[in-house]
Structures are given as structure tokens and as C-alpha cells.
Amino acid sequence: MIIPEILRVRSYELLKRNRRQAGELSYTVPSPTMYPYQWLWDSCFHAIVLTHFEPEEAKQEILSLLSRQFNNGMIPHMIYWDDHAFESTRRLKIDWGKTGTSSITQPPMIAYAIWRIFQKDGDMLFLKKIYPNLFHFYKYLLNERDPHERHLIGILNPDESGEDNSPRFDTLLDLPPTHTEEINYQKRMKLVEENKQCNFDAPFCMKNFFWVKDVPFNAIMVENLRCLSHIAEKLGHEYDAQYFNTEAERIATSMRALMDGGGLYLSTYGEDYRKIKVKTWAIFAPLFAKLLSQDEARVLVDKYLLDPKFFLANYSVPTVSRDEPSYNPEGFWRGPTWIASNWFIYKGLLQYGFTAEAQKIKDSSISLIEKSGFREQFNPETGEGLGAHDFTWGTLIVDMEES
Ligand code: GLC
């Protein structure tokens, strides 16, 4: 299916409607009612889509994110530009121990987004301007999030994965496979309090409270370090280009050694890198960074993506395998299809030349938006829209292109 022109237009209109001014800069809110702030990986998605319409606005998304980078290099996952925008959901009421931003980060998609912008308009001045920030951010992740030097990047809170309530984090939060959102929230709040006590000092917080080496976060890191290496090369920083490329390959090697459980990549936790044996869409994230061989990828796709016992649903791809006890087609990150995870899988499939399978993901994403509009998530069995309205991630369908 080709993206109908009307959906392209509606995507662009939604991004424009959700655009907000922050002084000289602008950014886009994921949803005006439910998510009225700026989020890190959301803004990277917006920038990627905006390269199709307005590269200058894509740069604004990046510049507004970078304007609140911490001194240690971390880019916070939330920026509260508008204090009065506060609204509805309790999820937003989390106090991250700081004013103006949160104190944690999110999957590092920013180098990828910047590289996409550069491929569109070749603006060297922009690259030059943002390079020191990028360098600092990825160095922070490499230095602070890998205290054992095992070449895997750790997260200190489930929200850093971007998949707040995913069952991947149940064991560590001491939660059974089924539980209410309320209980999940309480557990996560307790963790935030612990994070605050250790002042969000990453090595300390990870050692003592919550330390997951998550598959999507690390796969995203690998692919982004490769983009960063290209950026450094463009700018003539040959040493950096070599360095970031080497780090990317080190993480890739470590992922193969420590996460691969017989063709299924699983997130690990704790000092001894124990595997978290829950099948979520994360098993497909390694495709995005081309970590699997062609044969391994074929097996993964045939055995899991295309099997209705696991991830094939009427409206694929559910974020949790349908055979998992935690699978709930309406549970936040516990089953529903999200367009961003579909986008990662789509791009991953193309890395292997699996065009027909990628097309299916694209078709399923388009039909979800056609059926239920720009909603936050969708019931994979019925296609019914769930969560926030006017949610921007659906616009990623514009970036589902085969070439
Ligand atoms: C939810 C999602 C997170 C996203 C945020 C804003 O918290 O879990 O990934 O960044 O909403 O859209």
C-alpha cells in the first residue's frame, strides 16, 4: 500500500498543530491534551518525519532538545517548557527531583535524526553547531552507563526505555505478569524516590536499585553511534569517527555475547547480566542495528513475527507476544501496537531486504490510522484506538518508504 496523500497531509497538519514556541525555538508536543511537553525520543521522531516536509523545523526540534542538555552531557527525557500546560494524567505528575526537566534520559535516537536531516539538506553549519552536544551526550552514555565496561548501556528506570510499563521490567519491580496500572505506578514511584535519593547518579542508582541493559536501547545506541561516526567523518574529525564506530561494534559484539539466547535477544539485568525471559517486540529491535546474520533474521521473522501464536495479529505488531501471560491488548506497553515500534521493525526488515514483510507492517500501520485516527496505541486484535488523541507517532508512517 502506498501512503494515501490525505494521510501525508493530515500527518503534516498534526505536526504543525502540535508545534509550540519556546522563546526563539520551537518543538512539538506528542499530544496537546495528554502530553503537553517536549520528550526526547518523540522529538527525534518528529524531526525524522519533518525532514519530509520542513527540514528547518526538524532542526528546531533538535535545537530545543539540546538547549536543556545537562552539564554532564545527559539530555533529559522531558522538558517542561510550559508550566501551565499541566493537565490530566497522573503519569505526568512524576516529580523527577528537578525544575524544568526530568532527570533521566530516553533511547538515544538523536544522532540518527540529525543524520537524516543532513542527508536531506546537507547543512554543514548545522552539523558543526550541534556536534559538541552530540559528542558530549554519547560520551556520557558510554562513560556513565557502563560502569563494568562490558559495552552495554544501562538504564536506571523503566521510563528511560520509553516503554514505561513493559513487562520486561516486571521482575525487577517485583510485579507478577498481570497487575493493575495503579500497582505498576506505585512501584515505579517508589523507584523514582530511590533514584532521587541517589541524586540520579547513574552508576550508583543502577548498582543499588534498577539496572537493565535493554535490547532496544542498545540496538538504537549501536545504529546511532554509526550515524555519529558518519557525522564526525563529514566534519573531518577522523579520530572521533573511528572511535564511535569502534564503540558501536563493541556494543554489537557484547549484545551478541550477553543478550542472544538462541536467536532471541533478551534484555538483561543486574551485575550478572541475567536474561529477562519475556518476549516483547524488543526481540525484533536487533534488526534495526543489523545485529543478526541473514539466516538468523529469516528464522526470527518466520518463527515469531509471522506466527499468530506470537506476534502476528489482525493489526500487527503487538508490543508483547500473544502467548505471554502478561499480554493484554489494552495494557499500556503490555500488548497494544504502537506506530514507533512498528517503524523500528519496518526499518529493521528493510535492512535485510525483507521488503514484503516490511510492506505488511506498513499496511497494518496505515490501516490503524485510517480506522482509528492518530491515537497513541491500538488494540492489535480489533484495531481500536487507545490512550492519547492527536498523538504524533502515527506520522511516522510518512517515513515508511522502501527506498
Ligand atoms: C509515554 C511513552 C513514552 C513517550 C511519552 C510521550 O510516557 O511511554 O515513550 O515518550 O509517553 O509521548
Side-chain angles (χ1 to χ4, degrees), residues 30 35 39 41-42 106 162-164 332-333 338 376 391 393:
Y35 298 110
W39 269 264
W41 76 336
D42 300 61
Q106 250 184 349
E163 297 172 60
D164 322 354
F332 199 71
W333 286 112
W338 291 64
E376 183 179 15
F391 191 69
W393 293 15

Side-chain angles (χ1 to χ4, degrees), residues 109-180:
M109 277 297 288
I110 192 160
Y112 179 98
I114 290 170
W115 185 236
R116 290 287 307 274
I117 297 172
F118 181 75
Q119 282 172 319
K120 198 72 184 186
D121 71 1
D123 183 350
M124 287 293 284
L125 282 179
F126 177 67
L127 272 200
K128 223 172 166 164
K129 179 170 173 170
I130 52 78
Y131 184 71
N133 302 72
L134 268 197
F135 180 93
H136 206 29
F137 178 49
Y138 288 91
K139 277 293 266 187
Y140 161 81
L141 292 172
L142 291 166
N143 293 345
E144 292 291 302
R145 298 309 187 98
D146 180 28
H148 283 176
E149 295 187 22
R150 299 293 294 273
H151 307 295
L152 287 181
I153 307 300
I155 55 173
L156 54 84
N157 188 293
D159 292 43
E160 290 200 313
S161 73
E163 297 172 60
D164 322 354
N165 297 33
S166 168
R168 292 204 297 284
F169 311 119
D170 287 353
T171 309
L172 260 108
L173 295 177
D174 197 18
L175 285 165
T178 57
H179 53 263
T180 61

Side-chain angles (χ1 to χ4, degrees), residues 1 34 41 91 103 194 212 220 236 280 337 347 372 379:
M1 198 191 299
M34 202 151 154
W41 76 336
R91 262 196 292 281
S103 310
E194 288 163 346
V212 169
I220 287 169
T280 67
T337 299
K347 293 283 176 192
S372 302
N379 182 321

